[in-house]
Amino acid sequence: MLCVLLPQFPLNCEISRNPQIKERASVVIQQSGSQDLVLDYSPGLTDLVQGMELQGTLSRHDDIQIVHADVPYYWYSFNRILDALENVSPVVEGKGLGEVYLGMDGMQSIYSCDGDFVKAVRQAIPESFVTHVGIGQSKFLAYLAARQCPRDGGFRVLEGDVSSFLKDLPCDLLPVSARSRKILREFGIQTLGQITALPLGPV
């Protein structure tokens, strides 16, 4: 299984149609009820988190550029990427904006190695999007590999015994709710290694 992560997907969608946005630190906001919440933000704004209220954001960065979210456009752009990736693999699943999984079974007859497959994947995605790619025996391992892939345009493969790789990774990487991650922290469980050391019952 191959995972492609496209970080800052909403922001990069906005940049793709208005490159000037890239010239300033920017925040994409989405209205939720009567509140404006952060949906995405420039990579340099490391003290922000998704879902933060705009008022709190402005108290930290009063000179940022505000961009109002166009969610239908983001999904339109994402679906176009999924369509393009179907020319690379017949098994393509978009789990959410900026997160894609591709099946690799039987692809050896088309691509001579993993590197060729990854190259075809990246060629199907517009250059305006950063791509983090990982390969693993399951979706979760492929996701973790993508999260830990080299930042030089390479990719990471997780195969065989991956326990040493997993043991020090934070529990925040688990695909569970924020409430579940909070409960784990309250029990003093910080890493995936601590979870895998527990019997299934207590977990």
Side-chain angles (χ1 to χ4, degrees), residues 18-193:
N18 184 6
Q20 292 183 345
I21 291 175
K22 196 173 184 179
E23 297 176 3
R24 290 179 57 191
S26 303
V27 171
V28 180
I29 62 168
Q30 182 178 22
Q31 192 168 36
S32 177
S34 61
Q35 294 181 323
D36 288 325
L37 304 180
V38 172
L39 176 64
D40 202 3
Y41 48 89
S42 297
L45 302 175
T46 56
D47 58 341
L48 303 186
V49 294
Q50 191 177 39
M52 177 183 289
E53 293 184 13
L54 177 60
Q55 184 177 359
T57 302
L58 293 175
S59 68
R60 302 183 185 194
H61 305 278
D62 57 1
D63 59 342
I64 57 175
Q65 181 174 214
I66 304 299
V67 180
H68 292 274
D70 185 350
V71 176
Y73 174 67
Y74 305 154
W75 278 107
Y76 168 77
S77 300
F78 188 57
N79 286 327
R80 288 192 65 183
I81 290 174
L82 296 182
D83 290 342
L85 289 173
E86 287 181 353
N87 294 320
V88 180
S89 169
V91 179
V92 177
E93 177 187 348
K95 188 173 181 182
L97 284 176
E99 184 176 347
V100 188
Y101 295 90
L102 289 85
M104 298 182 68
D105 290 344
M107 293 294 99
Q108 296 82 2
S109 60
I110 302 175
Y111 307 100
S112 60
C113 62
D114 290 344
D116 287 346
F117 187 79
V118 171
K119 182 179 179 180
V121 167
R122 285 199 162 110
Q123 288 177 339
I125 299 172
E127 293 182 358
S128 56
F129 294 94
V130 176
T131 56
H132 296 170
V133 180
I135 296 173
Q137 297 171 343
S138 65
K139 288 182 182 178
F140 183 52
L141 289 179
Y143 170 79
L144 292 180
R147 287 288 300 264
Q148 302 293 319
C149 84
R151 296 299 184 258
D152 59 358
F155 62 97
R156 182 151 197 171
V157 179
L158 287 181
E159 57 186 0
D161 185 2
V162 298
S163 56
S164 60
F165 172 81
L166 296 176
K167 67 177 183 178
D168 295 325
L169 293 180
C171 289
D172 286 345
L173 293 176
L174 287 171
V176 297
S177 67
R179 180 176 179 274
S180 295
R181 291 194 291 269
K182 181 175 182 291
I183 291 173
L184 288 172
R185 288 193 294 270
E186 290 174 348
F187 277 102
I189 299 174
Q190 304 290 337
T191 67
L192 297 185

Side-chain angles (χ1 to χ4, degrees), residues 195-203:
I195 291 180
T196 56
L198 294 171
L200 183 59
V203 172

